[in-house]
Every structure is written in structure tokens, then in C-alpha cells.
Amino acid sequence: MNNTQDKKFYHFNEVPFKQTIFDKIIRKDDKNELPWTLHPTLQKAAYEGFLSNYSLEEQAFHLYCRLCQIFSYDEGYFYNDKFKAETRYSSKFSKEHLESIVPGSKVTCWDFSRIFSKFVNELDGNIEAVIVSRGMDGGHFLSGFYTDRVSLMLEPINKQKDGLNDFMKIKTGLQIGGIKIISDEGNIIPSAIDRVLPQIIGKEPATVEDYLNQLNSLPLNTVPHNLVLKLRTFIEVLKIQKLLGNDATQSFMALLHSGFFGEGIETKFLGKLENQNSQKTFRRIILINPNSSTTMQSNIYLLDTYQLELSSCTFKELLHQISSGKFVYETKPRDTLHPEL
């Protein structure tokens, strides 16, 4: 940045967030950050639709929105206590891991913050992206950028007040909300988003209320007590929108809280063990219990958020699958700075 830049930008004061003594800002010239290269197919995908007359701020937002669109969250992090010997769910730097990330990859907040910052710091112009490590053990990562006109933080993965994150919102054509403005005297950030987001999603963004109203107006809603019908039709909607994993979970929870599936439904998240590309991982399963009182023979439903399949079993059968290791409970959040998604 130039020497005349206001110091508040240079020091990147994180005004909108609750600051703690554990926060750490990682800059592009940090000597502890090792050199690495973005995968060529990721570079090509991120710049798809990139306009030559974008401002610097618009360039950064284009990259942010495209990355939210082409990545999904790696829910294996919720089971990180089962992967203690691996680096993919730790804060340890892995050049091999970062350089293997391509469109369609599942990423953590650690991955996203470094990839986004890498893209922005390779832009031509007076702009810098930073990484913010949060929490006592550096367990959560955000990214942000600043120019000589604006300064802001970006939180694409953790859910916002409406229960959704920007990964899910961009995939479903909704207005993004993971932006925390630090300084923007010229109202540049809203204008940049208004120009870039429709270019990315191919239409004007809708609100969360619009999205829920659209789903609530589906014909299946005329059968108010048929939970299975509603769940199966909802799964078809997920397939059309290509929502998997955490994106599918957030859509489900938003509808659940709106009353779409009915009242008195209990839900829990489980991990289903599987091998993927010779690597052990867990796939998220939503346990749906419609019973007001549960016995060993009570019937419950299991929604596989990756296969987008609905199955059922008794509570006794579920306990057996958990005890056998087929299903596991999710890792609980370790501190309040890393809220459950």
C-alpha cells in the first residue's frame, strides 16, 4: 500500500468483531507463510465471468463469490477428533493439500482463508488480503481485504443470523451476508456487491424470506401431516439446486425452523463412516425424530446429505449402528469463537 494510506487501514483494526487476546492477523509478507501455487483449474474457474472493467473491490468480490459457489464445506472437521494424526483438519500448513484443491473440493475455513487471500494478493493494484486466526487455539480462520478506499472482513462459512452462510446463499441465488465492513466512506462495498453478485448467480439475488416462501408454496405443503412426502419432495429440491452436505443441512434447518416440516420434530447430526479416494471420512446424516415420546421401537428417519437419500430405522437399530461404529456423533464446538454451523 502507498505511504499516504491512513493508518487505520494499514493496521487493519477489526472493529465489528469482538477482539480477544488470541486474535492473530497473518499478512501476505508473513515469514511463517510458505510459498505455494493455486491449482490451474481452480484459477480458471475462479476467473470465469471476470469483467475487465471491474474495480479492485469488485475483482475481490468476484473471487469471493466464485469460491463460495464452487466449494463446499468439509464436514469432516466436525469429526476431527477421529483424525488426530492428519493435517487436513489442523492449522498446520500443507503445501501439498492447498495445491490439490480444485473446483468441487470440500474445504475448511483454514483452506478458504488462504485460497481467497492468495487470489487477492495476486491481483494487480493497491490491494491486500489478510488472514485472521481466531480463538485460543487458532481454531477458526477468516479473511479480509483492504484498499485505499475500503476495509472489511469476510466470513463465508459460519452461519449468519438467518442460519445460513454464503456458501449456501450463493448456490441458491440469495443475497450474501458474511461481510463485516470496517471502513467504507464512499458506500463502495454495497455498490460492488450489487454489480458482481448478479453476474455470478445469473440473476438478481433473492432474500432468505423469498427462498422460504418459495419452498413453503410447493404443492406438497397441502398435505400438512405427511412428513415423509415433505422430506422426499425437499430432497428433490436439493437435487435440482445441487445442494449437498452442509449446504443441504442449512436449507433443511431453515425450513424446519419456519415450521415447514411440522411441529415437535427433534433433529440431531451424525457422521456416517466411509472411504473416499482411499481416505477415511464421514458423511453427515440428519436424524429426524417426529415422535413426541421415543421407545426402542419408535421409527425415525435418516437423511443422507451427500447421497440425498431418505431411510428409516427403529431407535434400537440406530443405537446398534452407533455402537458398531457405523455412525458417530459430531464433535462439539471447542469454544464460543468457533460456533457450530
Side-chain angles (χ1 to χ4, degrees):
M1 306 297 290
N2 58 51
N3 293 329
T4 61
Q5 179 187 307
D6 193 310
K7 288 183 179 179
K8 68 181 177 182
F9 292 110
Y10 181 77
H11 289 292
F12 206 77
N13 296 322
E14 201 186 346
V15 176
F17 287 88
K18 180 182 178 182
Q19 295 182 335
T20 79
I21 60 174
F22 305 113
D23 287 356
K24 177 184 176 183
I25 295 178
I26 305 171
R27 297 184 178 277
K28 65 179 180 180
D29 57 357
D30 191 306
K31 295 180 181 179
N32 294 319
E33 291 290 297
L34 302 176
W36 60 283
T37 304
L38 292 160
H39 196 286
T41 60
L42 179 58
Q43 290 182 318
K44 181 179 179 180
Y47 279 99
E48 182 179 315
F50 197 84
L51 301 182
S52 59
N53 61 350
Y54 272 156
S55 67
L56 270 177
E57 294 82 9
E58 289 167 348
Q59 291 177 46
F61 277 122
H62 176 98
L63 294 168
Y64 174 77
C65 292
R66 277 295 288 154
L67 292 176
C68 287
Q69 192 175 51
I70 62 181
F71 288 148
S72 59
Y73 183 70
D74 190 343
E75 293 167 325
Y77 184 86
F78 291 130
Y79 316 100
N80 59 12
D81 59 335
K82 313 296 189 298
F83 301 103
K84 291 180 179 178
E86 302 184 25
T87 60
R88 56 181 165 147
Y89 301 124
S90 75
S91 301
K92 296 179 181 178
F93 184 91
S94 172
K95 180 176 184 290
E96 179 183 10
H97 171 67
L98 285 172
E99 293 185 343
S100 71
I101 294 175
V102 296
S105 290
K106 294 191 288 185
V107 300
T108 64
C109 59
W110 190 95
D111 301 325
F112 189 94
S113 63
R114 274 164 175 76
I115 290 171
F116 173 74
S117 297
K118 178 79 168 172
F119 267 112
V120 171
N121 287 330
E122 292 183 354
L123 293 173
D124 294 328
N126 210 15
I127 188 170
E128 181 183 351
V130 299
I131 301 165
V132 176
S133 169
R134 311 219 72 187
M136 186 181 299
D137 56 359
H140 185 52
F141 293 82
L142 306 92
S143 51
F145 70 87
Y146 61 97
T147 67
D148 56 0
R149 304 193 298 173
V150 303
S151 180
L152 69 152
M153 293 297 299
L154 297 167
E155 170 56 278
I157 293 176
N158 275 2
K159 66 182 181 181
Q160 297 146 23
K161 290 182 179 180
D162 52 26
L164 308 176
N165 66 15
D166 283 350
F167 273 32
M168 185 272 185
K169 287 181 175 180
I170 288 179
K171 290 182 181 69
T172 51
L174 303 180
Q175 183 62 259
I176 57 177
I179 300 166
K180 306 297 181 182
I181 298 174
I182 298 173
S183 181
D184 180 16
E185 296 179 0
N187 205 38
I188 293 166
I189 294 172
S191 297
I193 296 171
D194 288 344
R195 185 183 184 199
V196 170
L197 190 54
Q199 176 76 11
I200 297 292
I201 64 178
K203 61 179 182 179
E204 289 299 318
T207 65
V208 174
E209 290 73 20
D210 292 335
Y211 178 71
L212 292 176
N213 288 336
Q214 182 181 12
L215 292 177
N216 273 303
S217 65
L218 291 172
L220 63 102
N221 207 39
T222 60
V223 189
H225 302 299
N226 194 327
L227 177 61
V228 173
L229 175 61
K230 290 190 174 188
L231 287 171
R232 289 186 174 170
T233 307
F234 170 66
I235 288 173
E236 293 306 311
V237 173
L238 293 179
K239 291 178 179 178
I240 293 171
Q241 297 180 332
K242 298 180 180 180
L243 295 181
L244 304 173
N246 195 59
D247 298 327
T249 301
Q250 291 196 359
S251 183
F252 172 84
M253 296 305 293
L255 273 180
L256 177 68
H257 293 150
S258 76
F260 177 78
F261 293 112
E263 301 297 329
I265 296 176
E266 179 187 10
T267 60
K268 293 185 182 299
F269 301 140
L270 302 173
K272 183 178 181 180
L273 181 64
E274 68 169 15
N275 287 310
Q276 191 174 71
N277 300 324
S278 302
Q279 200 171 41
K280 185 173 74 171
T281 186
F282 288 91
R283 196 166 65 224
R284 177 179 260 178
I285 304 293
I286 304 177
L287 183 158
I288 304 163
N289 181 12
N291 307 292
S292 56
S293 59
T294 304
T295 68
M296 284 296 183
Q297 298 306 316
S298 295
N299 206 45
I300 56 178
Y301 302 101
L302 302 173
L303 173 57
D304 187 319
T305 62
Y306 277 95
Q307 295 297 323
L308 297 183
E309 295 175 347
L310 183 69
S311 61
S312 65
C313 66
T314 65
F315 188 65
K316 182 178 180 180
E317 290 169 336
L318 175 66
L319 292 180
H320 175 72
Q321 293 182 82
I322 292 175
S323 63
S324 70
K326 182 179 179 180
F327 291 150
V328 297
Y329 290 110
E330 284 191 359
T331 306
K332 292 183 178 180
R334 289 173 290 176
D335 58 47
T336 56
L337 292 177
H338 184 218
E340 185 178 5
L341 299 186

